Amino acid sequence: MKAFTYQRADSTAQAAAAAVKPGAKIIAGGTNLLDLMKLQVETPSNLVDINRLPLDKIEETPDGGLRIGTLVRNSDLAADPHVRQRYGVLSRALLAGASAQLRNKATTSGNLLQRTRCYYFYDVTKPCNKRSPGSGCAALAGFNRIHAVLGTSEHCIATHPSDMAVAMQALDAKVETVNRQGETKAIPIAEFYRLPGNTPEIETSLKPGEIITAVTLPPPPPGVQLYRKVRDRASYAFALVSVAAIVDSNRGRIRSARLAFGGLAPKPWRSAQAEQRLANAPSTTTTFNSTAAAVLEGARGFGGNDFKMPLTRRTLHSVLAEMTRT
Amino acid sequence: MEMNSPVGANVLDTPGIVGKPIDRVDGPLKVTGGARYAYEVQENNVLYGFVVEASIGKGRIKSIETRAAEKAPGVALVLTHRNAPAQGTGNHREAHPVLTGPQVTGYGQPVAFVVANSFEEARAAAYLVNVKYDRSNGKYALRANLNEARVPKPSDAPAADSAVGDFAIAFASAPVQLDVTYTTPLQSHAMMEPHATLAMWDGDKLMLHTANQMLNQGQQVIATTLKIPVENVRLISPFIGGGFGGKLWVNADAILAAIASRQLKRPVKIALTRQQIFHVTTHRSDTIQRVRLGTDREGHILAIGHDVFSGNLPSEQTYEGAALQTRTLYAGPNRLTRHRLAPLDIPVASSMRAPGESVGLMALECAMDEIAEKLNLDPIELRVLNEPSEDPEKHIPYSSRHLIPCMQEGARRFGWDKRNPKPGQVRDGRWLVGIGMAAATRGNPLLLSKANVRLGPDGTCTVRMAMTDIGTGTYTILAQIAAEMLGLPTERIQVELGDTSFPQAAGSGGSWGAGSSGSALFEACNALREKLARTAGMDPATARFANGSIASGDQSRKLTDLVGVGMDADGEIRPGRNNKDFSQQSYGAHFAEVGVDEDTGEVRVRRMLGVFTAGRVLNAKTARSQAIGGMVFGVGAALHEEMTLDPRFGYFVNHDLAEYHVPVHADIPDIDAVFLAELDDQSNPLKSKGIGELGICGAGASIANAIYNACGARIRDYPVTLAKLLSRLPVRA
Ligand SMILES: Cc1cc2nc3c(=O)[nH]c(=O)nc-3n(C[C@H](O)[C@H](O)[C@H](O)COP(=O)(O)OP(=O)(O)OC[C@H]3O[C@@H](n4cnc5c(N)ncnc54)[C@H](O)[C@@H]3O)c2cc1C
Ligand code: SF4
């Protein structure tokens, strides 16, 4: 860990002003950032602590949705009655993530912005374009069991590890931000994350100094909600594949569906094509197959993660069968 | 006392506190933070060290730039091979020299040690040390280097090969044959407490607070390495947060701290980081194991063969003895076991909990399941058929062996009769459900151990020895033994361990701890009983000790009236003829029920039962905890644990606990361990046998067998992950 200065922000504006300076970094729960600092994967020279800002409320919005303050802890969000009643997929996704202790500390914004778990990214002695642009990607021809099969580039094949963000992706969440000038934005989550291309070090559309203040959820779409996380042990493991699904169906016919995937791509993955296959379709094996094929269109494995293709197919099959069972 | 004859009836045979499931006597200290571990010992004027690891697997340091680190805030010293002293050498059990030269022989080898006023300053400065390497082509992967494997010749382990009869001919002509190859991965001990040391010198004398399982041996290794007399080294280690073999030998933390402390004339403290532990300390080698079984049509084994490859540094002879239990577990006239060791340029491989049998039984006990199916025999029946009447290779009797009762009692409690031998027949929702079993066995070694017991005038009894308690319950069972022997409540017994200034003890490892240290204490207590009886003018043979008094006939005296300013006695146990004339093993049977998700291939354990015999159980609660802990290890070995080697760099890619998976609570739902009554009067005066490793032995195999029973997929490449199962599950389309 490199020596750094620490400052506690008293207002969002102050935080944004401090965060825009080179070397500055926001700290929320710190569960990801501090680990990375200890390994010198992240080397901020100034930490801007936002934990005292009044951004920890969950409120209903006039349109019947929900506004989740950026500092709401993952545990509190998962336990919130509104979330449990109307956004079950989000509650389930949160509770499938990390451990109770980590969830007590982890925040909404920190979870959205947590960095990949790629082993090579975590070890500063190894080549990694995301950590050290231009140094190469050790995972490409290395051990890539947990890596992405969709949306990758020759420069980076890392996944985004969040469970929460996958559910938010299915719920069409918006990420609210503010910058130093006090300008606010509401970024649709579909536009929030960026694919690696040839700049894997840039992961979101946030501009320097832009701070997340909240995440808003529109009213939930009709249908049942489910989050299925497939992992190597029963708890405390990242998703190999996860599915956030919202399916509205009746007696063997699907009216509409939303599907988002974790563990497959550098960002929570949503497939409009796949959702189209399900719209007004019978809930049959043929439909599920064609949906899976649509999700996996263009998918490519790198050896260690080839199993994610059949796993995705089978998991999706299982999820859709369960959700449309009459 | 030397173990040369059966022990006969003794005090422990009458019901008493020994065996009772009392709570750990050190429990309150541990849960209140009162138990201080090596890194927590406070010392004035202390400096903190941080290791810089080699980031190549093999090669030479071309240049090492330390100026920036030396100038960094708070830094007192940067040690490298240029300014480190000359040290003694030997294999990893004899010496642990550090920073000896520019050669890099394994990834993570310390190349510099930065010492500063605070841990944070040392760590920050460590990142400023700039090392350039000339890399050479190392040999890293076991499978790629089998052709260079040789016969290992360790001085302190059984011979690599054994043969009885003519295996080749018997196997070739056996009516039923099985020839299968199993592989097990590289594993890390992953104990909770990291390796840590606080070193300080007083003139020529070195004192180390250090996490080490075998203090007397550690003392010797440190003396050899630092080239100082052994009596000038004192190790203190009253509490150890788990070891699993990872702290059997001396690691770099102790030597680096000692060297730096000597140069700086100040105490130096170090704890390895979790990530560093994976490379800087030892690990369990991966193995490739070929098991061949040939039987007649009834299932009698005619030929049993087990060939094992493991890897280690070219300078080491320590091999993973995966076939050692195959030499003793089942009958059969024609036998062949062979171990081969491939020289590899990776960190040193050494003992991890149940070295050898942990992974060996994961092959042998699955092979037994496989051939049972070929024979259309129940797996328990097959094992009963092959119960030997004596050790089939050494041709000596077993000191005690109750494998069959363990299997039968386990079968009864677990509901084994409900198992459908045809795989894939039972389901519960999405889950394909199966059950499996495996036998457990583990040797019962005895090591030289000494003890001192002293009764003070206030009625407090103090037990002392350089024994360790690595979380197993040693403090507690020793308190129970002394309490029963002297007729005192356990609250009156003060057990003091973990200091080489106390009598030499066996230490914790190889399941010998309780038997060896407990027997030494038993002997010391006997000697004290005799002194007390003589002082009271009573016959030691008939005197009874109870309620703080000694009684004989209708006479009774309070012990505190006899001891004057205090009375003490020494005791000692040594292995003897019994350890050669008897095959001494603990036994057990594991039963597991698993679910396999028919879509995703996720495997989840649903319940597990182990039934064991291990001689006298000294504390029913700590024994059960040991057995369950071992079984959890088995779950990890079967389903989760694997260090992945990246052969491009010669390193273990997943070197942290986020990606090196061990089972978590949710992976262990319903688990129980039961000990059947047994006394072994050839083993030691306590009539106990080792239990620290028994729980692992076979546990993983019972899970793999249950997976097969659940879904019909036999995965011979551990761990059994969903990725390996997927293609073997029913088609989904
Ligand atoms: C062992 C382990 C297992 C885990 N398992 C899982 C899992 O299974 N699933 C899962 O989803 N997660 C898992 N996690 C990750 C966990 O969810 C994240 O660490 C956590 O959500 C991060 O939140 P935080 O508030 O602590 O973030 P921090 O560490 O404080 O911050 C993370 C990043 O976000 C930035 N940031 C934070 N707030 C703002 C803001 N308001 N505006 C701009 N930037 C901001 C920080 O600068 C930093 O770059 C695991 C973590 C660990 C250590
Ligand atoms: S996959 Fe991405 S994060 Fe991992 S090594 Fe390659 S560039 Fe780095």
Side-chain angles (χ1 to χ4, degrees):
Chain A
M1 190 181 272
K2 271 201 173 154
F4 58 88
T5 52
Y6 168 88
Q7 109 188 57
R8 182 179 288 156
D10 297 323
S11 69
T12 317
Q14 194 196 18
V20 79
K21 303 212 178 93
K25 199 94 198 164
I26 299 283
I27 181 162
T31 61
N32 189 225
L33 183 59
L34 291 177
D35 279 359
L36 292 169
M37 286 169 66
K38 289 178 195 167
L39 298 168
Q40 297 214 5
V41 175
E42 300 260 26
T43 51
S45 50
N46 184 31
L47 278 193
V48 183
D49 184 345
I50 59 168
N51 281 288
R52 298 285 171 96
L53 300 184
L55 300 173
D56 58 351
K57 306 270 179 311
I58 304 173
E59 303 151 333
E60 286 182 273
T61 55
D63 69 345
L66 217 55
R67 187 164 191 280
I68 303 158
T70 211
L71 290 174
V72 174
R73 308 289 153 173
N74 287 179
S75 314
D76 296 333
L77 184 56
D80 181 79
H82 296 290
V83 174
R84 292 183 48 160
Q85 279 161 26
R86 304 178 60 212
Y87 302 97
V89 65
L90 177 59
S91 187
R92 293 279 187 102
L94 283 160
L95 293 175
S99 66
Q101 294 90 331
L102 285 159
R103 294 193 296 268
N104 286 341
K105 200 83 186 121
T107 62
T108 312
S109 49
N111 194 319
L112 286 174
L113 294 177
Q114 64 173 295
R115 310 210 58 195
T116 184
R117 306 304 295 200
C118 171
Y119 332 97
Y120 303 100
F121 173 76
Y122 264 81
D123 188 332
V124 292
T125 65
K126 297 295 166 288
C128 169
N129 288 325
K130 188 187 274 301
R131 177 174 25 78
S132 170
S135 61
C137 170
L140 217 46
F143 180 55
N144 46 40
R145 185 170 190 275
I146 62 171
H147 287 72
V149 294
L150 287 164
T152 58
S153 76
E154 58 184 314
H155 303 286
C156 180
I157 60 171
T159 55
H160 190 272
S162 171
D163 290 296
M164 180 194 82
V166 177
M168 287 182 172
Q169 182 78 246
L171 290 165
D172 278 340
K174 288 200 171 92
V175 181
E176 295 191 349
T177 67
V178 63
N179 68 9
R180 184 168 51 141
Q181 284 79 30
E183 295 159 352
T184 59
K185 270 200 265 180
I187 310 166
I189 194 162
E191 292 159 29
F192 182 73
Y193 293 106
R194 296 183 29 156
L195 289 177
N198 50 21
T199 53
E201 70 280 13
I202 304 172
E203 296 171 352
T204 66
S205 56
L206 288 180
K207 299 277 177 305
E210 198 172 352
I211 286 181
I212 299 175
T213 51
V215 169
T216 56
L217 303 177
V224 289
Q225 304 183 4
L226 186 144
Y227 190 76
R228 173 82 68 84
K229 179 174 179 179
V230 181
R231 45 185 153 173
D232 279 323
R233 60 183 170 190
S235 177
Y236 204 35
F238 289 91
L240 294 168
V241 168
S242 71
V243 185
I246 306 173
V247 176
D248 185 21
S249 73
N250 187 23
R251 296 208 203 123
R253 221 172 161 83
I254 299 167
R255 279 193 283 263
S256 66
R258 295 203 195 160
L259 296 174
F261 296 85
L264 290 185
K267 63 177 192 180
W269 194 258
R270 185 96 179 255
S271 165
Q273 262 171 302
E275 291 175 10
Q276 273 158 25
R277 305 269 169 107
L278 290 173
N280 297 311
S283 51
T284 59
T285 303
T286 318
T287 304
F288 302 163
N289 281 346
S290 98
T291 308
V295 172
L296 291 170
E297 201 179 297
R300 177 182 165 206
F302 298 89
N305 63 355
D306 291 351
F307 74 94
K308 286 192 175 181
M309 266 81 88
L311 181 61
T312 305
R313 222 172 281 130
R314 298 177 70 100
T315 307
L316 184 60
H317 221 281
S318 172
V319 163
L320 291 174
E322 180 178 335
M323 294 179 84
T324 57
R325 198 165 290 140
T326 45
Chain B
M1 175 181 190
E2 202 167 274
M3 283 309 300
N4 291 324
S5 52
V7 290
N10 67 29
V11 182
L12 301 182
D13 293 337
T14 50
I17 184 85
V18 167
K20 292 269 156 30
I22 67 164
D23 290 344
R24 283 160 195 264
V25 296
D26 51 336
L29 276 181
K30 287 194 171 161
V31 296
T32 57
R36 271 199 274 161
Y37 293 79
Y39 197 74
E40 298 166 342
V41 176
Q42 300 301 318
E43 193 56 39
N44 288 333
N45 210 20
V46 70
L47 293 164
Y48 295 81
F50 198 89
V51 173
V52 180
E53 294 170 86
S55 61
I56 64 163
K58 188 175 169 66
R60 262 182 88 80
I61 297 170
K62 194 159 59 179
S63 67
I64 182 159
E65 182 48 69
T66 55
R67 254 168 302 179
E70 279 154 2
K71 278 193 272 171
V75 171
L77 174 69
V78 180
L79 268 180
T80 68
H81 67 272
R82 292 184 309 225
N83 54 353
Q87 296 151 65
T89 56
N91 69 37
H92 79 279
R93 298 169 176 217
E94 296 160 349
H96 196 111
V98 293
L99 308 172
T100 52
Q103 293 302 335
V104 174
T105 60
Y107 195 97
Q109 172 187 320
V111 292
F113 185 56
V114 179
V115 185
N117 286 327
S118 71
F119 169 77
E120 288 76 12
E121 287 168 324
R123 179 173 58 184
Y127 279 93
L128 298 174
V129 176
N130 189 352
V131 193
K132 297 252 183 310
Y133 300 96
D134 276 327
R135 234 195 241 225
S136 33
N137 290 329
K139 300 186 172 78
Y140 303 125
L142 175 61
R143 187 172 287 282
N145 292 287
L146 295 182
N147 54 355
E148 293 196 29
R150 52 187 163 71
V151 182
K153 297 199 168 65
S155 55
D156 50 359
D161 291 9
S162 78
V164 174
D166 191 327
F167 171 80
I169 291 178
F171 180 71
S173 57
V176 181
Q177 296 172 4
L178 181 82
D179 182 349
V180 285
T181 298
Y182 279 82
T183 57
T184 65
L186 292 151
Q187 294 178 339
S188 182
H189 307 81
M191 77 301 288
M192 207 181 301
E193 180 204 18
H195 299 73
T197 298
L198 165 64
M200 35 197 166
W201 291 82
D202 180 4
D204 288 343
K205 295 203 187 311
L206 170 65
M207 184 158 89
L208 292 172
H209 293 268
T210 187
N212 187 293
Q213 295 174 229
M214 291 169 71
L215 297 182
N216 296 107
Q217 176 180 274
Q219 188 185 19
Q220 184 60 57
V221 171
I222 288 164
T224 305
T225 309
L226 299 178
K227 301 182 161 184
I228 56 177
V230 69
E231 57 275 12
N232 284 4
V233 180
R234 179 172 169 205
L235 265 57
I236 300 178
S237 198
F239 296 102
I240 299 171
F244 307 131
K247 296 168 182 164
L248 275 181
W249 324 110
V250 170
N251 284 289
D253 56 313
I255 304 296
L256 288 168
I259 291 174
S261 171
R262 182 169 228 183
Q263 290 204 7
L264 292 162
K265 302 193 166 28
R266 283 173 69 179
V268 172
K269 198 182 234 194
I270 168 185
L272 296 179
T273 67
R274 180 59 67 184
Q275 288 87 347
Q276 289 173 338
I277 289 171
F278 286 81
H279 292 112
V280 176
T281 73
T282 61
H283 65 274
R284 191 201 304 273
S285 172
D286 43 351
T287 67
I288 300 173
Q289 305 180 41
R290 181 181 187 195
V291 179
R292 283 174 290 174
L293 296 172
T295 68
D296 64 17
R297 299 220 180 273
E298 286 75 51
H300 298 102
I301 294 173
L302 304 172
I304 182 166
H306 197 161
D307 289 292
V308 182
F309 286 99
S310 60
N312 213 338
L313 282 173
S315 56
E316 295 287 341
Q317 301 293 332
T318 297
Y319 64 92
E320 188 67 29
L324 296 180
Q325 300 305 325
T326 307
R327 295 177 184 173
T328 179
L329 187 51
Y330 299 116
N334 301 288
R335 322 176 65 90
L336 179 67
T337 68
R338 292 180 293 203
H339 295 91
R340 295 293 175 268
L341 191 63
L344 300 177
D345 302 307
I346 62 175
V348 62
S350 191
S351 306
M352 176 165 147
R353 200 171 182 187
E357 52 268 28
S358 167
V359 292
L361 291 175
M362 289 171 71
L364 177 66
E365 287 302 289
C366 286
M368 288 294 279
D369 205 63
E370 294 199 53
I371 202 160
E373 189 182 31
K374 279 195 175 205
L375 288 158
N376 210 4
L377 261 185
D378 181 273
I380 294 179
E381 262 173 64
L382 171 69
R383 289 170 171 89
V384 172
L385 266 186
N386 289 290
E387 174 73 6
S389 56
E390 59 168 19
D391 187 289
E393 302 210 359
K394 293 186 190 149
H395 301 296
I396 52 176
Y398 293 104
S399 61
S400 56
R401 175 173 163 125
H402 294 103
L403 172 59
I404 294 176
C406 289
M407 293 191 294
Q408 289 170 340
E409 178 62 13
R412 192 183 67 73
R413 289 177 185 239
F414 197 75
W416 179 253
D417 57 341
K418 294 193 191 67
R419 169 179 179 265
N420 187 334
K422 193 166 167 224
Q425 302 303 304
V426 183
R427 70 166 55 233
D428 176 5
R430 321 199 294 266
W431 298 96
L432 301 168
V433 180
I435 63 180
M437 64 82 56
T441 189
R442 159 76 204 175
N444 175 53
L446 182 71
L447 261 63
L448 169 67
S449 220
K450 302 179 185 180
N452 176 270
V453 58
R454 177 175 191 279
L455 193 56
D458 62 349
T460 303
C461 166
T462 308
V463 171
R464 283 193 169 150
M465 60 182 95
M467 183 57 191
T468 50
D469 185 332
I470 60 174
T472 51
T474 313
Y475 278 106
T476 311
I477 58 127
L478 294 178
Q480 286 171 280
I481 291 168
E484 180 158 343
M485 293 298 289
L486 299 174
L488 296 169
T490 49
E491 301 79 66
R492 287 270 138 162
I493 314 292
Q494 175 82 28
V495 181
E496 296 180 7
L497 306 179
D499 188 334
T500 51
S501 61
F502 298 157
Q504 174 184 352
S508 304
S511 297
W512 60 62
S516 306
S517 67
S519 296
L521 176 59
F522 176 93
E523 287 304 305
C525 289
N526 259 339
L528 186 60
R529 282 166 65 110
E530 189 155 333
K531 277 193 188 175
L532 287 162
R534 294 208 187 288
T535 310
M538 298 175 187
D539 176 6
T542 56
R544 303 180 309 277
F545 289 74
N547 306 321
S549 299
I550 178 171
S552 182
D554 50 11
Q555 273 194 339
S556 174
R557 298 281 304 276
K558 280 179 100 58
L559 297 181
T560 43
D561 295 341
L562 301 172
V563 297
V565 294
M567 186 184 283
D568 78 331
D570 295 318
E572 172 179 320
I573 189 78
R574 288 174 183 279
R577 276 201 307 278
N578 284 10
N579 302 84
K580 295 201 178 69
D581 296 350
F582 292 92
S583 184
Q584 297 194 21
Q585 301 269 134
S586 302
Y587 292 93
H590 293 280
F591 293 83
E593 178 181 308
V594 304
V596 179
D597 186 309
E598 62 174 341
D599 295 305
T600 65
E602 287 164 291
V603 179
R604 301 289 182 255
V605 175
R606 294 160 68 102
R607 57 195 183 102
M608 251 181 126
L609 170 70
V611 178
F612 306 101
T613 48
R616 188 190 305 282
V617 170
L618 301 170
N619 177 319
K621 183 180 279 186
T622 55
R624 180 172 175 274
S625 296
Q626 278 301 291
I628 287 177
M631 291 161 73
V632 173
F633 244 76
V635 174
L639 301 178
H640 306 125
E641 293 190 45
E642 172 169 29
M643 284 201 296
T644 307
L645 178 94
D646 187 328
R648 297 170 303 171
F649 305 107
Y651 89 133
F652 309 133
V653 186
N654 51 338
H655 52 281
D656 64 30
L657 290 183
E659 296 300 335
Y660 180 83
H661 285 175
V662 297
V664 297
H665 283 96
D667 291 301
I668 310 295
D670 172 358
I671 190 167
D672 199 9
V674 174
F675 285 86
L676 303 183
E678 186 187 70
L679 293 178
D680 189 326
D681 76 347
Q682 310 291 356
S683 65
N684 62 48
L686 312 175
K687 307 181 186 178
S688 68
K689 291 188 289 190
I691 56 173
E693 289 156 308
L694 182 60
I696 315 173
C697 302
S702 73
I703 289 170
N705 291 338
I707 293 172
Y708 176 74
N709 184 244
C711 67
R714 180 69 72 181
I715 307 298
R716 301 194 185 87
D717 175 28
Y718 291 103
V720 184
T721 58
L722 63 88
K724 295 171 189 169
L725 282 167
L726 273 184
S727 64
R728 314 279 294 275
L729 295 174
V731 178
R732 283 276 170 275

